[in-house]
Amino acid sequence: DGGITQSPKYLFRKEGQNVTLSCEQNLNHDAMYWYRQDPGQGLRLIYYSQIVNDFQKGDIAEGYSVSREKKESFPLTVTSAQKNPTAFYLCASSWDRGDTEAFFGQGTRLTVV
Amino acid sequence: GQQVMQIPQYQHVQEGEDFTTYCNSSTTLSNIQWYKQRPGGHPVFLIQLVKSGEVKKQKRLTFQFGEAKKNSSLHITATQTTDVGTYFCAENSGGSNYKLTFGKGTLLTVNP
């Protein structure tokens, strides 16, 4: 089945630790995105990538890092520099055109204690 | 920051009542997309509007794009409990710097 997969669904980490969220897609999409969702805040863009080995900061990139070594993979690392990391993280992908829909993964709920 | 403002933030209706959410921008939009996120789920694409004044319908849902391409609306006729969820509008910059930016969404709850 084609789709976009995020793992794990739930993740717990201690404060001060870096954590990497996985996002894999087999839709052959060029563009991939990471969003953070908090109650009442909608979806805020963290990073996006249009092509392998290239990515751009979104609106809230501080405290996060990404890589795009393969077309199908776009992992997100939440670093210890992120002040409020507890949130629901959504990965998405689309064709690299300005007029196509985005497909979302199921999301990862990260809790930092 | 976000380029699209969405109102209202919350809307509670009785089943059978109509519902409308609005998306506004200070700049001209190349296109507008609408997504629905069920409670506990992930956003799912509903539709895209591209042309000035465009109107599209999906059963009880009507989507409009303003003449100036600065606003859009989603109207649901005779809501049902299955309509519960958060409705987002999204704008992408297109061109060579593709970036998909979402509004804050409108949470719709329906009382049966």
Side-chain angles (χ1 to χ4, degrees), chain A residues 18-19 36 46-47 57 60-66 76-85 89:
Chain A
N18 290 355
V19 59
R36 170 180 172 141
I46 304 173
Y47 270 98
K57 293 182 178 180
I60 56 165
E62 185 175 350
Y64 299 97
S65 66
V66 293
L76 173 75
T77 297
V78 184
T79 74
S80 56
Q82 168 51 231
K83 297 190 187 320
N84 296 297
Y89 291 88

Side-chain angles (χ1 to χ4, degrees), chain B residues 17-30:
Chain B
E17 291 181 340
D18 292 356
F19 159 76
T20 305
T21 175
Y22 301 90
C23 190
N24 299 296
S25 172
S26 58
T27 59
T28 302
L29 303 169
S30 55

Side-chain angles (χ1 to χ4, degrees), chain A residues 63-77:
Chain A
Y64 299 97
S65 66
V66 293
S67 64
R68 187 87 187 274
E69 296 177 2
K70 298 185 295 183
K71 186 176 185 177
E72 58 270 23
S73 179
F74 192 41
L76 173 75
T77 297

Side-chain angles (χ1 to χ4, degrees), chain A residues 31 33 35 37 40-43 45 48 50 56 59 88 90 94-102 104-106, chain B residues 1-2 9-10 30-31 33 35 37 41-43 45 48 88 92 94-105:
Chain A
Y33 311 82
Y35 292 90
Q37 187 170 33
Q41 294 294 319
L43 301 174
L45 184 63
Y48 62 108
Q50 290 177 256
Q56 286 79 41
D59 299 317
F88 187 49
L90 286 159
S94 72
W95 297 111
D96 182 24
R97 298 201 313 265
D99 61 352
T100 60
E101 66 181 279
F104 282 82
Q106 300 292 322
Chain B
Q2 289 179 326
Q9 190 173 358
Y10 306 97
S30 55
N31 57 58
Q33 297 179 359
Y35 292 77
Q37 183 179 24
H42 59 279
F45 176 81
Q48 176 170 271
F88 293 98
N92 60 54
S96 61
N97 196 22
Y98 187 90
K99 178 181 175 184
L100 188 61
T101 303
F102 283 76
K104 290 191 174 183

Side-chain angles (χ1 to χ4, degrees), chain B residues 2-74:
Chain B
Q2 289 179 326
Q3 293 181 281
V4 288
M5 303 299 294
Q6 200 171 345
I7 56 170
Q9 190 173 358
Y10 306 97
Q11 184 79 59
H12 178 75
V13 299
Q14 288 291 127
E15 190 171 23
E17 291 181 340
D18 292 356
F19 159 76
T20 305
T21 175
Y22 301 90
C23 190
N24 299 296
S25 172
S26 58
T27 59
T28 302
L29 303 169
S30 55
N31 57 58
I32 195 87
Q33 297 179 359
W34 286 93
Y35 292 77
K36 177 184 178 181
Q37 183 179 24
R38 295 182 185 274
H42 59 279
V44 175
F45 176 81
L46 293 176
I47 209 159
Q48 176 170 271
L49 305 172
V50 179
K51 299 176 182 176
S52 169
E54 190 170 16
V55 178
K56 289 187 177 180
K57 293 190 176 184
Q58 290 180 350
K59 297 182 180 179
R60 294 178 295 104
L61 277 62
T62 302
F63 304 83
Q64 291 189 313
F65 204 7
E67 292 290 341
K69 298 182 72 173
K70 289 185 176 182
N71 56 74
S72 181
S73 65
L74 158 60

Side-chain angles (χ1 to χ4, degrees), chain B residues 59 79-80 84 95 105 108:
Chain B
K59 297 182 180 179
T79 56
Q80 300 175 359
V84 165
L108 171 65

